Amino acid sequence: FLLSLKLENKTKGKLQKQICQVVLDHFEKEYTTELGDTWTGVRDVLTHPLCWQYAVLLNKFSQSAELENTLHVKGYHPAFQGPLPYLPASLKCYIKRTPGQFPAQKHQAGKLKEYYLLNAASLLPVLALEVKDGEDVLDLCAAPGGKSVAILQCAYPGNFHCNEYDDLRSRWLKQTMESFIPDPLMNLVTVSQLDGRQIGDLKPELYDKVLVDAPCSNDRSWLFSSDIQQATLRLIQRKELSSLQFQLLRSAIKALRPGGSLVYSTCTLSKAENSDVINLILNSCSNVMPIDISEMAKAVSQEFTFLSGTQKHELLVLPEKGRAWGPMYVAKLKKI
């Protein structure tokens, strides 16, 4: 018993030690103001990785009935059930109430992985995008590639453009696609390394659907920055992120065909990077209008906790114990 207590304390110590105090103090100040009492519960989840949960997104291109049986036996159930406005039968994602991670699969050249481990909330932008077969789709900031893989689980786009500006992340994206998507289908996929802010000018009105999963303050990973200097620098540069996000959205709107729709998402709780950016776009671009996604939110409210008081075209997933998904902000717009 003493040994297990010692080990437990050691693990706790390890996890406690990893928390970056500079970042926590910064979040504490900002999110107490923005979220009020809700922040306490969210902070408890974000600062304790032992209570984090991971979803298992099945790869329809490498199907295994055995895997689904194993997941059922281990207490997993489908993440998305009920009357969702958009839920292709081919999108299969499993979650369970308790923390922990299903074993990851290693990348093997020429062999497709059977599943992708992810935060279940990161599938909400894909469900909000509602991609149909034959549509031309742009994933503007696509790395590491989970959402691109999820889009291809839902439908077969006519032309699927996955873009990632950052060199290292672009290589990561390519590897993800190789791990999940069969060669013949990769012929429909273009992977590029363009500056997302310029794509709208380079490819005007070319796409039916655009996903902007924008670079943001990644609350989960920033809290565990091991390098204090890097963390401090990130917090200083944080103020500039909303300007970059605004520029990416402007570019995405230019790339959209009239009648096409766009989903914006981040994995931060920050109001400046979420609703403030969307409000700025709505106030400065007369050719876009907000699209109601409250039905989708209602349909998944058993599995996800949402911040109350948001507008109908947006949602913010708040992590809580037993439903440790998010943070994930999602907003949907349509080009007129």
Side-chain angles (χ1 to χ4, degrees):
F1 172 72
L2 276 173
L3 183 67
S4 69
L5 200 65
K6 254 187 193 163
L7 281 171
E8 198 182 323
N9 286 337
K10 200 174 171 186
T11 319
K12 270 190 187 152
K14 242 186 197 169
L15 294 169
Q16 286 320 112
K17 251 207 303 267
Q18 288 172 346
I19 288 172
C20 183
Q21 201 55 48
V22 181
V23 176
L24 185 58
D25 292 346
H26 180 89
F27 284 179
E28 196 76 56
K29 208 160 109 187
E30 182 175 322
Y31 295 151
T32 303
T33 309
E34 289 180 12
L35 302 170
D37 297 341
T38 317
W39 164 240
T40 314
V42 172
R43 182 191 57 208
D44 285 350
V45 172
L46 293 182
T47 53
H48 291 91
L50 288 176
C51 70
W52 292 4
Q53 289 157 277
Y54 295 86
V56 182
L57 173 68
L58 304 195
N59 185 11
K60 71 176 182 186
F61 305 113
S62 173
Q63 266 180 338
S64 146
E66 205 179 307
L67 174 61
E68 284 196 71
N69 291 336
T70 306
L71 288 166
H72 283 301
V73 169
K74 289 188 178 292
Y76 282 82
H77 63 274
F80 305 106
Q81 300 173 72
L84 270 129
Y86 171 85
L87 182 62
S90 53
L91 181 78
K92 290 184 175 180
C93 177
Y94 284 87
I95 58 177
K96 66 173 179 174
R97 287 263 181 262
T98 49
Q101 188 173 340
F102 201 67
Q105 289 182 311
K106 284 194 167 61
H107 173 73
Q108 290 176 276
K111 192 172 190 302
L112 292 183
K113 290 186 182 182
E114 294 181 344
Y115 56 88
Y116 190 97
L117 298 177
L118 77 178
N119 184 325
S122 59
L123 290 175
L124 295 176
V126 174
L127 291 174
L129 197 61
E130 300 190 17
V131 175
K132 312 269 192 308
D133 287 349
E135 287 182 328
D136 296 323
V137 181
L138 168 64
D139 188 350
L140 193 69
C141 318
K147 292 180 183 70
S148 298
V149 166
I151 285 169
L152 288 168
Q153 301 303 313
C154 293
Y156 293 97
N159 164 32
F160 189 24
H161 183 178
C162 302
N163 181 68
E164 178 53 55
Y165 185 47
D166 181 84
D167 191 45
L168 192 69
R169 288 175 64 83
S170 182
R171 290 206 292 273
W172 189 6
L173 168 67
K174 281 178 187 147
Q175 190 181 76
T176 301
M177 297 302 268
E178 274 168 30
S179 288
F180 288 91
I181 310 304
D183 281 347
L185 189 59
M186 279 305 290
N187 297 333
L188 301 176
V189 180
T190 308
V191 179
S192 68
Q193 215 177 320
L194 301 165
D195 183 336
R197 293 168 293 188
Q198 292 165 6
I199 281 185
D201 290 325
L202 295 170
K203 300 182 181 294
E205 301 195 349
L206 212 66
Y207 304 97
D208 302 298
K209 302 277 163 75
V210 180
L211 174 64
V212 184
D213 185 41
C216 66
S217 333
N218 185 326
D219 295 358
R220 276 188 194 237
S221 68
W222 282 25
L223 275 167
F224 292 89
S225 309
S226 49
D227 183 335
I228 302 269
Q229 275 177 308
Q230 185 199 28
T232 311
L233 188 64
R234 272 176 173 170
L235 292 173
I236 293 166
Q237 292 171 336
R238 191 179 194 203
K239 294 180 186 70
E240 294 157 27
L241 277 170
S242 54
S243 161
L244 169 66
Q245 290 152 349
F246 178 75
Q247 290 170 335
L248 288 168
L249 273 169
R250 286 279 297 264
S251 172
I253 291 162
K254 282 183 187 171
L256 260 186
R257 293 184 177 127
S261 53
L262 171 157
V263 168
Y264 173 75
S265 60
T266 74
C267 51
T268 179
L269 298 160
S270 164
K271 185 172 168 288
E273 297 175 53
N274 294 341
S275 47
D276 287 0
V277 174
I278 291 295
N279 288 339
L280 192 57
I281 280 287
L282 288 169
N283 291 331
S284 61
C285 302
S286 56
N287 61 341
V288 287
M289 58 180 273
I291 295 293
D292 187 343
I293 54 170
S294 60
E295 279 304 306
M296 180 186 83
K298 207 159 68 190
V300 297
S301 60
Q302 270 194 303
E303 301 294 355
F304 298 92
T305 304
F306 297 105
L307 178 69
S308 57
T310 55
Q311 297 183 76
K312 285 190 166 179
H313 61 271
E314 58 177 359
L315 58 85
L316 177 61
V317 179
L318 301 174
E320 65 170 33
K321 285 205 169 103
R323 299 200 284 188
W325 314 113
M328 180 60 58
Y329 175 80
V330 183
K332 185 169 185 177
L333 307 174
K334 182 177 179 171
K335 185 169 181 174
I336 307 159

